Amino acid sequence: MTASTSQQNAAFGLWPSPISAAVVAAGATPLSQPQADGQDAYWLAGRASEGGRTTLLRQRGAELVELTPAPFNVRSRVHEYGGGAYLVAAGTVYFSHFADNRIYTIAAGAAPQALTEPGSARYADFAHDAARNRLLAVREDHAGGSAASDRQPVNTLCAIGADGSETILARGSDFYAAPRLSPDGRSLAWLSWDHPRMPWQGTELWLAQVNADGSLAAPTLVAGGPEEAICQPEWSPAGVLHFVSDRSGWWNLYRLAGASVQPLCERAAEFGSPHWTFAVSMYGFSSNKDSDGEIVCTYIENGVSRLARLSPDSGKLAPIANPYQEIRELRVGGGVALILGGSPTIPLELARFELASATPQVLARSIAELPADGYLSVPESITYASGANGQRSAHAFYYPPCNADVTPDPAARPPLMVISHGGPTGMATNTLKLATQYWTSRGFAVLDVNYGGSSGFGRAYRDALKGQWGVVDVDDCVAGARYLATRGVVDPERLVIRGGSAGGLTTLCALTFHDVFKAGASYYGVSDLKGLDDDSHKFESHYNEYLIAPKPESDTLYLLRSPINHADRLTRPMIFFQGLDDKVVPPQQSEVMVAALRAAGVPVAYMTLEGEGHGFRKADSIVRTLEAELYFYLRIFGLTTPAQAAVVAIENLPVVAPTGKA
């Protein structure tokens, strides 16, 4: 796309933009889970135009091949959030098919063949045991039983033979992850944890011998516990177990030296990330030989990713020049690194780096064609005071409005959209996203907040949300809006907030308990904390014990912090978006709020989406929700809308003549 050479005047929010909702949907190609097998590169790509299915691609030389054509959907539902949905080992692919949760294999030149039988089990996070011709996996069995205690799924580690037969290797913990077999096949490492902990609060790293018959012997606790979170165990080519631990307050790299744990690089930086999905990789070994060399790693410092070589013996980091400020995943081996990264001017892309020369070759882009630079807002990283008496600092990315075709009125100020991310143990990044540029190119300013509780800033910052969900996150979003309004950067009368999932609770609390924001949008957001406990899936069923309080202390706090209990205080217009197949935050969480606002006479809109779960994957869903949210704000602000029929019905909306003025 090229920028126009003519300038025009238009009210903030009504700027003509080439970044339509359809352009956002067409550019929404999620990329994830890169893997390397020899010189071949593999990765997953989302297909919004095909109902949001995920397919597996392989790059071999100049040849790009889709290995899983429709209807195959390479996706796992273990823990509901999935991840770790495929593995490539010596040219053979193993993957989980979302429709039936079975594991399929793809041998060279062959069509996918089912390995496991239909049933109640789901699988993720695979490892290949070549010596025993079997696949290792995390297994989640949803068969259940008649007793209430049996209704939650049972998680184990299992081995799956070439004939599809299954053997349980480890059981007894509530959760398992990361089965990793040593290069000689004689040892297996894995992670486990139990309720009420989430994996970024405390996990255990176990190590066991693998007997000749494939069973495990003498399991030993290597590291971890209730207050130490371990992630990404990996074996070096020489058979030394490495892992990431936050025992220092930061996720740093360690290795097992005999019976002792040895730090490799003590730094106020995050070399790991929260385990929301399986098989995320942030480091690897540059050599495939049987002797250890350097480690290639990515780490987050002050919210920005770095890439470096790490000498395990000296602990020295040598930076590797690269164009990315977010590195979401890193796979290393054979002198090559696969990097899934982005920056304020680069949308998420997959690149292959020859480590000897650090020369990147882009293999895939999440956005095929970018708008001209004149329509793209480059964010500024800001830190501001928050909390009572400003005793805490919060972090955010600020995006100013940007459109080459428009001359803004110097006397006017733009509306501000504050984004509260999900998780809440998530993280806002500054990678270029068309979904953000959709707003900035129309004259909205955007503040993407990394409130207290976000990852990427160390354990103390993450733990700022302990017992304070609905307080600290809300304070940081409110403080960010006030900070920009006080500086005269944005219009204090047109501040809006939006969020999805946990960010939806932040949005609802900000609108219910504070008077800063004038309107908001909740995407599959939480409104009833007790209801969330009652409906939650196993993975998050005790998360509120950390975020709010254990029982019975939580009962009173649930009443105080659940927006549904204070609907009489929510007088700001809201729009709700809800996938009807959502198992993480079920539809009733939105429906109770919509009903309450409808009855109270507050302007409200509600859009449901068939076939969508927790997060919208279909192109049509992306288009409909963006257009409806924009239409909603323009009507609330009394701005002129394009000459078109109503995009979404807004109930209880007073008739106000549109002005079209800033």
Side-chain angles (χ1 to χ4, degrees):
M1 299 179 186
T2 58
S4 169
T5 57
S6 62
Q7 291 283 307
Q8 54 185 296
N9 296 316
F12 284 110
L14 291 177
W15 292 0
S17 170
I19 308 175
S20 66
V23 168
V24 175
T29 305
L31 305 173
S32 62
Q33 299 182 52
Q35 289 188 30
D37 186 52
Q39 294 301 305
D40 297 342
Y42 297 76
W43 67 92
L44 297 180
R47 296 283 173 83
S49 61
E50 299 179 32
R53 81 175 186 94
T54 301
T55 192
L56 176 62
L57 302 174
R58 182 190 67 201
Q59 181 85 43
R60 175 177 290 170
E63 179 188 39
L64 178 64
V65 176
E66 181 179 17
L67 298 175
T68 52
F72 286 109
N73 189 357
V74 185
R75 185 178 162 198
S76 169
R77 287 191 62 181
V78 178
H79 297 176
E80 297 299 337
Y81 292 102
Y86 83 98
L87 175 75
V88 186
T92 298
V93 174
Y94 304 86
F95 73 91
S96 166
H97 177 35
F98 185 71
D100 58 15
N101 297 308
R102 299 170 73 184
I103 298 174
Y104 288 74
T105 63
I106 306 174
Q113 299 291 322
L115 174 63
T116 57
E117 295 296 323
S120 57
R122 304 172 182 178
Y123 308 88
D125 211 355
F126 308 121
H128 188 238
D129 186 352
R132 300 167 186 86
N133 193 23
R134 63 181 186 171
L135 188 69
L136 309 182
V138 174
R139 184 177 189 265
E140 185 175 83
D141 190 357
H142 286 253
S146 58
S149 59
D150 295 334
R151 291 173 192 163
Q152 285 196 328
V154 175
N155 295 70
T156 56
L157 289 183
C158 78
I160 304 164
D163 60 356
S165 60
E166 299 185 24
T167 304
I168 301 299
L169 298 178
R171 69 175 82 219
S173 292
D174 289 322
F175 301 99
Y176 291 88
R180 299 294 180 259
L181 194 64
S182 62
D184 62 10
R186 296 177 181 177
S187 301
L188 182 71
W190 70 89
L191 298 175
S192 67
W193 66 97
D194 293 297
H195 286 315
R197 299 192 304 273
M198 298 298 285
W200 46 87
Q201 296 168 241
T203 56
E204 297 176 343
L205 174 61
W206 291 86
L207 181 62
Q209 301 171 13
V210 183
N211 295 323
D213 64 358
S215 61
L216 302 184
T220 303
L221 179 64
V222 172
E227 301 297 328
E228 180 183 3
I230 309 291
C231 59
Q232 201 188 335
E234 301 285 356
W235 294 91
S236 71
V240 177
L241 182 61
H242 291 64
F243 57 93
V244 176
S245 166
D246 71 348
R247 59 176 59 187
S248 70
W250 296 86
W251 266 316
N252 285 181
L253 277 161
Y254 296 82
R255 67 183 175 190
L256 186 62
S260 64
V261 171
Q262 184 180 82
L264 298 185
C265 180
E266 295 179 294
R267 193 180 184 96
E270 301 280 61
F271 290 75
S273 61
H275 174 101
W276 282 104
T277 58
F278 289 96
V280 172
S281 174
M282 292 182 65
Y283 75 94
F285 303 91
S286 61
S287 173
N288 286 338
K289 299 177 182 179
D290 57 3
S291 60
D292 288 348
E294 65 186 11
I295 295 172
V296 177
C297 57
T298 181
Y299 58 93
I300 302 169
E301 214 166 36
N302 298 320
V304 174
S305 293
R306 316 290 184 190
L307 183 67
R309 293 180 172 88
L310 170 62
S311 170
D313 295 326
S314 69
K316 292 183 178 180
L317 282 172
I320 299 176
N322 72 95
Y324 306 118
Q325 292 188 27
E326 178 197 7
I327 298 178
R328 193 169 296 181
E329 291 203 51
L330 172 68
R331 297 283 177 176
V332 186
V336 174
L338 294 178
I339 296 176
L340 189 61
S343 80
T345 58
I346 302 174
L348 193 67
E349 64 184 25
L350 177 64
R352 176 190 177 102
F353 269 66
E354 297 288 344
L355 292 172
S357 59
T359 302
Q361 173 196 2
V362 177
L363 303 180
R365 291 184 170 91
S366 60
I367 303 173
E369 183 180 1
L370 281 176
D373 290 347
Y375 302 111
L376 300 178
S377 176
V378 176
E380 171 192 358
S381 179
I382 66 173
T383 299
Y384 52 89
S386 182
N389 303 316
Q391 83 278 16
R392 293 189 301 102
S393 293
H395 310 284
F397 294 108
Y398 171 67
Y399 295 78
C402 181
N403 189 313
D405 296 340
V406 179
T407 302
D409 179 353
R413 295 292 178 265
L416 173 69
M417 170 183 286
V418 171
I419 299 176
S420 53
H421 66 66
T425 312
M427 180 183 179
T429 66
N430 62 2
T431 289
L432 195 158
K433 307 173 191 68
L434 287 185
T436 302
Q437 306 297 331
Y438 176 84
W439 299 103
T440 56
S441 63
R442 283 169 169 75
F444 283 76
V446 172
L447 187 69
D448 205 355
V449 181
N450 271 315
Y451 49 75
S454 301
S455 58
F457 300 89
R459 178 145 189 164
Y461 195 78
R462 209 162 65 240
D463 280 344
L465 207 61
K466 184 176 182 180
Q468 295 296 309
W469 188 28
V471 178
V472 164
D473 49 327
V474 176
D475 285 348
D476 290 356
C477 289
V478 168
R482 284 178 171 156
Y483 172 74
L484 293 176
T486 301
R487 291 174 62 195
V489 175
V490 299
D491 184 349
E493 296 304 314
R494 291 189 293 170
L495 307 176
V496 302
I497 183 169
R498 76 194 298 256
S501 189
L505 177 76
T506 306
T507 293
L508 285 163
C509 286
L511 290 161
T512 301
F513 304 122
H514 299 265
D515 60 359
V516 172
F517 298 103
K518 309 305 177 183
S522 170
Y523 282 73
Y524 37 88
V526 176
S527 64
D528 178 6
L529 292 167
K530 184 179 185 306
L532 184 65
D533 271 0
D534 293 341
D535 296 329
S536 184
H537 57 112
K538 180 183 177 182
F539 180 64
E540 292 182 297
S541 60
H542 291 260
Y543 194 12
N544 279 346
E545 295 185 29
Y546 170 85
L547 293 171
I548 307 294
K551 297 286 186 181
E553 297 95 319
S554 63
D555 293 340
T556 300
L557 292 174
Y558 280 5
L559 290 173
L560 289 173
R561 295 189 200 168
S562 293
I564 189 57
N565 299 322
H566 307 277
D568 59 316
R569 297 177 60 180
L570 179 51
T571 60
R572 306 296 189 180
M574 284 208 65
I575 185 168
F576 294 80
F577 300 97
Q578 181 67 53
L580 294 179
D581 291 344
D582 196 336
K583 307 301 183 187
V584 177
V585 180
Q588 56 262 36
Q589 288 278 329
S590 292
E591 290 164 1
V592 291
M593 286 305 301
V594 172
L597 294 180
R598 182 185 292 133
V602 178
V604 63
Y606 183 40
M607 179 177 284
T608 59
L609 297 112
E610 295 276 359
E612 292 284 17
H614 199 64
F616 303 152
R617 297 169 177 264
K618 300 179 182 179
D620 178 66
S621 301
I622 296 168
V623 171
R624 289 177 60 202
T625 54
L626 275 176
E627 290 182 346
E629 189 178 356
L630 175 63
Y631 174 83
F632 180 79
Y633 294 141
L634 296 182
R635 288 294 308 276
I636 296 302
F637 291 150
L639 294 174
T640 301
T641 60
Q644 62 178 24
V647 177
V648 65
I650 306 175
E651 302 179 57
N652 301 328
L653 183 66
V655 177
V656 178
T659 65
K661 295 181 181 179

